[in-house]
Amino acid sequence: MADTMEQVTIRKVAWRLLPFIFLLYFWCLIDRVNLAYAALTMNTDLGLTATMYSLGASIFFLGYVTFEVPSNLILERYGARLWIARIMITWGLVSTGMAFITGMYSFLTLRLLLGLAEAGFFPGMVLYLTFWFPRAYRARVIAALMLAIPFNGIIGAPVATSLMQIEAWGLRSWQWLFIIEGVPSILLGIAVLFFMTDRPGKAHWLAPEQRDWLEQTLSQERDELEAVHGTMSVWRALIEPRVLALCLIYIGFGTISYGIGYFLPQIIKGIGLSVLATGFVAAIPATIGAIGMVVVGWYSDRSADRRWSCGIAMMVAAAGVAWMGWTGSIWFVLVPASVMAFALEASRPLFWALPSMFLSRSAAAAGIALINSVGNLGGIIGPVAVGWAKDATQSFAGGLYFIAIVTALAAVLVVVTGPRHVTVREAIG
């Protein structure tokens, strides 16, 4: 009977929450990385060099990093519904405003404001999932959330370059891209107010016995976790060595994700493709990445040791980036780009399953936010390295080699310092 209650409840929660959360994160990524496709013509229109562009791409993370931890603590205390709605509406307004930048200074200003507006969204979503899903399901549901990353490449890239065929009413193609993709974020933020439920206890769409089972199961898991690792305060979580190690590891994720993400369209366009064709070709590595995330997301809760699985995947991703640097802008670059995408996306759900192996309650809110906050400094390191290398050498290779080294170091670190519990059940047993 208990198994039947578990299956029915988890299935109902998953169908209610995951599609909507996926859509929110998908649109978050659309608004964050459509800059990579706008840059195909925007940089020329505004006179931006590769270094100026990389500074604009990176300054987003200064605002983002500053407010990550406070944002997640506010969400944990006052609820996801109001706070996620606030985040989405404000970032939608700023993202739409990107259509009206006129040069480097307005570009940098709005990118900084966009980071401030969006701060806390992703760690808030990871934390929100821990309110609803027992630990045995978390790697899979995090994988479901993070499928938005490769799907953003599969769908977002062709859509972005298709929208950039629009030239009307005195606006350039990149301006239409920001407007058309920015407004839905505002509408989705309003929808959050009506659709999102803060906690299982408020879920009137669950039967009373389902609410009781879910709340009891999650409470029991928190108690067992704290019996093993002790009760951790917010401040202790911020200086916990395992949290700090995960912060350093996630810098590797940020470096490769944004260093590649903001420049891959330019690398592909260098093959000799049109703007429209670039978006469709860029979807190929993203599709391979989605396959990696689905396969590993299903496997990860059954794996013997997430540290080794994550570390190996990251090392393969590092090799793929180095291979891209060696290959250059020719058609064959799609092969190493696809290898990199498969391994990188495979490693994400494995990594984000690690914090909940030793963090709970407010400590989880603070720890997850700090990991994402510090790790996103890689969003500064990666694009700046690639942009500077391109301007200095007229080649992306040097920047790609640098990203490969940072990612490889992160791979070693996750194996050496990651939480050592073999499985969730063993961790609490």
Side-chain angles (χ1 to χ4, degrees), residues 310-334:
C310 184
I312 291 170
M314 291 186 71
M315 192 63 75
V316 173
V321 174
W323 192 5
M324 287 176 63
W326 180 78
T327 301
S329 288
I330 61 174
W331 276 104
F332 188 76
V333 77
L334 294 175

Side-chain angles (χ1 to χ4, degrees), residues 126-283:
V126 173
L127 179 66
Y128 183 68
L129 292 174
T130 70
F131 296 162
W132 290 91
F133 291 93
R135 213 168 285 112
Y137 295 91
R138 285 180 191 163
R140 280 169 280 177
V141 298
I142 290 172
L145 168 67
M146 300 190 77
L147 268 175
I149 298 173
F151 266 84
N152 178 55
I154 297 170
I155 299 172
V159 168
T161 51
S162 296
L163 291 175
M164 287 187 64
Q165 307 308 302
I166 302 173
E167 296 268 358
W169 297 339
L171 297 178
R172 304 304 303 270
S173 58
W174 57 269
Q175 293 176 297
W176 281 111
L177 175 65
F178 285 128
I179 293 171
I180 294 172
E181 294 193 340
V183 170
S185 295
I186 302 171
L187 301 178
L188 285 170
I190 296 171
V192 166
L193 294 171
F194 297 94
F195 193 81
M196 185 171 277
T197 307
D198 285 328
R199 302 265 186 170
K202 297 181 179 180
H204 300 298
W205 41 271
L206 285 177
E209 62 272 17
Q210 293 171 338
R211 285 199 302 269
D212 292 343
W213 175 85
L214 187 55
E215 288 192 296
Q216 181 180 356
T217 300
L218 293 169
S219 177
Q220 181 180 345
E221 285 194 348
R222 285 192 297 268
D223 292 341
E224 291 173 336
L225 183 65
E226 289 168 4
V228 174
H229 297 284
T231 303
M232 193 178 298
S233 68
V234 168
W235 295 110
R236 184 185 163 193
L238 296 178
I239 59 172
E240 163 66 34
R242 288 170 295 183
V243 171
L244 297 179
L246 291 175
C247 289
L248 292 176
I249 294 163
Y250 203 57
I251 289 176
F253 275 94
T255 300
I256 186 173
S257 296
Y258 296 108
I260 298 299
Y262 282 124
F263 284 94
L264 183 60
Q266 296 180 47
I267 294 172
I268 291 175
K269 190 173 184 291
I271 297 172
L273 300 177
S274 67
V275 170
L276 180 62
T278 296
F280 285 90
V281 174

Side-chain angles (χ1 to χ4, degrees), residues 3 11 39 66 81 86 112 122 126 140 159 161 177 189 208 259 272 291 304 321 337 353 358 378 382 384 408 416 420:
D3 289 341
R11 186 180 304 115
T66 302
R81 186 177 67 89
R86 192 286 304 163
L112 178 64
F122 175 73
V126 173
R140 280 169 280 177
V159 168
T161 51
L177 175 65
I291 294 171
V321 174
F358 62 95
V384 169
V416 174
R420 297 179 179 275

